[in-house]
Amino acid sequence: MDIAEPLLAAHRARFAAVDALLPPAAPPAEGERLDAATADGTQVTGVLQRQRLAPGDVPMLWSAADTWQLFPYFGATGTEGADLLLRALKARLTAEETGDDSACVVVWPSRDAEAIRAFLDHGLVPLSAVGVRTAPPPAAEPGVTIRRAGPGDFAAALDLAAATFDYTGLVAAPRRDNTAELLAPSLRAALAEDEPSVWLAEADGETRAFAHCAWVDAVPGSEAGELLPPGRWGYVNNVVTAPGERGSGLGRALMAHVHRELHRGGATRTYLYYNPTNPLSSVFWHRQGYRPLWTTWEVRPAAALR
């Protein structure tokens, strides 16, 4: 997508100023162009992409079936520029039948308060965030049995993995009827890997908590490289404590172990996705040393954009 160089330079400067941990701003996205101008004549540009998902697509676990994602480029114009682009998006959607299982989405640096003001004014809410942790791994927690999971743990791990969506379905994306079916292939593959990436916390001989993780190399041009500074990162994909065990310290002990294992595998920093609207995870992950880097702002259905 061709975007005026002064606007693109201002966009890059905005990212660099708002959060030192952000990687350099990615090249302009491809898609449908939306243009507007501020009161003093400064041009701002948005790129609009539409993604439609089928029921068997894994992103249906967290995404609407029909998503309109806006990539804003408003440089130094702040709240005014973001507001104008969201108004342009609203006008664009009046020509579409968006349906109930639809959403408008903007992924934006979490610390950009000027943009947040515009997002809130247009009815978007912070449904997901990329949290990053840069501290060294913590010491071991005594009194909890933690072990690597294997193929024989598939059923117990899948039950726990699916259970987390029962709760997040109340405060974030609605739970899908085929949640376990969508989760099963990647979990089965992870349990079969030689390199450990799934761990279980046990008490009284029963599985009480579960963590599914991975190692990710953030390199320029990759999907991870657009979100994170370069390097080897530990990715915390899914962490669940059995409902009756929440608040007992099992999750904290499990993650202390996982952070050490990820560090042992070459990751000096870790990241994850969590729901800011979730009253459990939004507290738990901050206590584990994570802070938001990117936030996904969303409104469902798409027609609800103000």
Side-chain angles (χ1 to χ4, degrees), residues 157-183:
L158 182 60
D159 285 346
L160 275 176
T164 191
F165 289 90
D166 294 333
Y167 188 84
T168 58
L170 299 173
V171 295
R175 191 186 192 281
R176 304 293 182 180
D177 292 337
N178 60 340
T179 292
E181 178 184 335
L182 294 175
L183 290 170

